[in-house]
Amino acid sequence: METWTKKDLFLFSLYILGMVLVNTVGGKIISLFGVRVSVGIFFMPVLFLITDIVGDVRGREQANHFVRFSTIMLAIMLAVTAIFVRVKPHPTWDLQEPYRQIFGMSMRMSMASLISFAISQYIDVAIFIGLKHLTKGKMLWLRNNVGTITSQFIDTVIFMFIAFYKLTPTYTVGYLFSLIMPYWLFKVVFALLDTPFCYLGVKWLSKE
């Protein structure tokens, strides 16, 4: 494996932090301009931004290491959470129900989160690196936005369908897309807004 610098380790730590936040505090639902969204929408763009920065400077292999290692950590985190939610508490501890409500994500949603995260992140890296070759290293803004916007759509669709399709008669294909599209459009806005940070991040990581 290639040698990682302190900057690489910092970005990897930030990446893991973002992944954990998406899957913990991201469980809260808020209203954003009248649209029902998870607060994880504020952290997901950071994950795609980091792999774009790393992929541009370090290459595809290192960006894929970020995705691979974090996917393993996410799987372990979800498995450990599922185990301890079910462990019988001490009789004097009366917070089991709030604990279960906060951390007891259903197995279906856990699998949806894991699968959508892994697939969308790998696709983002592949699109980004592919466009870098096609543009001969130019137009960072193009590969940053095309990769992120496309993979965020895939992430949203996969998660919604695995987690909710046919959960009740209400969750039809049409209904799910009525939830997916406004949610994804917010992600598009965040992707466009993070473009300057992508340039800054690439410049920062390139300086050794």
Side-chain angles (χ1 to χ4, degrees):
M1 184 187 295
E2 65 280 350
T3 300
W4 286 21
T5 67
K6 290 181 179 179
K7 291 182 178 181
D8 296 320
L9 293 174
F10 171 77
L11 287 175
F12 183 62
S13 300
L14 186 61
Y15 189 82
I16 293 292
L17 172 63
M19 180 266 292
V20 171
L21 289 173
V22 167
N23 288 277
T24 51
V25 298
K28 183 171 184 176
I29 303 299
I30 62 172
S31 178
L32 191 60
F33 298 104
V35 178
R36 184 177 183 272
V37 298
S38 159
V39 297
I41 198 171
F42 296 106
F43 308 120
M44 280 300 289
V46 176
L47 302 179
F48 291 92
L49 174 64
I50 291 173
T51 51
D52 285 354
I53 292 170
V54 172
D56 196 69
V57 179
R58 303 294 192 220
R60 181 173 188 164
E61 187 61 27
Q62 187 157 319
N64 279 336
H65 283 325
F66 274 45
V67 178
R68 190 175 303 119
F69 294 153
S70 60
T71 300
I72 294 171
M73 295 302 105
L74 177 58
I76 294 172
M77 184 185 80
L78 294 176
V80 170
T81 301
I83 291 170
F84 283 101
V85 163
R86 289 164 176 76
V87 171
K88 186 177 180 180
H90 190 276
T92 62
W93 195 71
D94 59 358
L95 298 175
Q96 173 63 15
E97 185 57 25
Y99 184 87
R100 185 193 64 78
Q101 290 178 354
I102 294 173
F103 294 105
M105 184 187 297
S106 70
M107 184 56 65
R108 182 170 175 174
M109 289 190 68
S110 298
M111 292 304 298
S113 177
L114 179 63
I115 293 170
S116 62
F117 172 81
I119 293 176
S120 64
Q121 290 290 306
Y122 276 117
I123 288 175
D124 179 51
V125 173
I127 293 174
F128 185 92
I129 298 300
L131 287 175
K132 183 176 182 180
H133 291 316
L134 286 175
T135 60
K136 302 187 187 312
K138 299 177 180 179
M139 294 190 288
L140 173 59
W141 61 271
L142 178 67
R143 53 184 180 273
N144 168 236
N145 285 298
V146 171
T148 299
I149 291 171
T150 303
S151 52
Q152 290 254 34
F153 180 74
I154 293 169
D155 172 77
T156 308
V157 171
I158 291 175
F159 177 81
M160 288 291 194
F161 271 87
I162 295 178
F164 301 114
Y165 182 61
K166 294 297 186 181
L167 185 64
T168 69
T170 303
Y171 287 94
T172 62
V173 173
Y175 181 70
L176 284 175
F177 271 101
S178 74
L179 300 176
I180 288 168
M181 295 311 296
Y183 193 41
W184 173 65
L185 289 174
F186 276 118
K187 292 182 176 182
V188 170
V189 172
F190 284 122
L192 295 173
L193 291 176
D194 77 17
T195 303
F197 295 100
C198 189
Y199 277 89
L200 290 172
V202 167
K203 183 177 181 180
W204 171 77
L205 188 58
S206 298
K207 290 182 178 180
E208 297 297 347

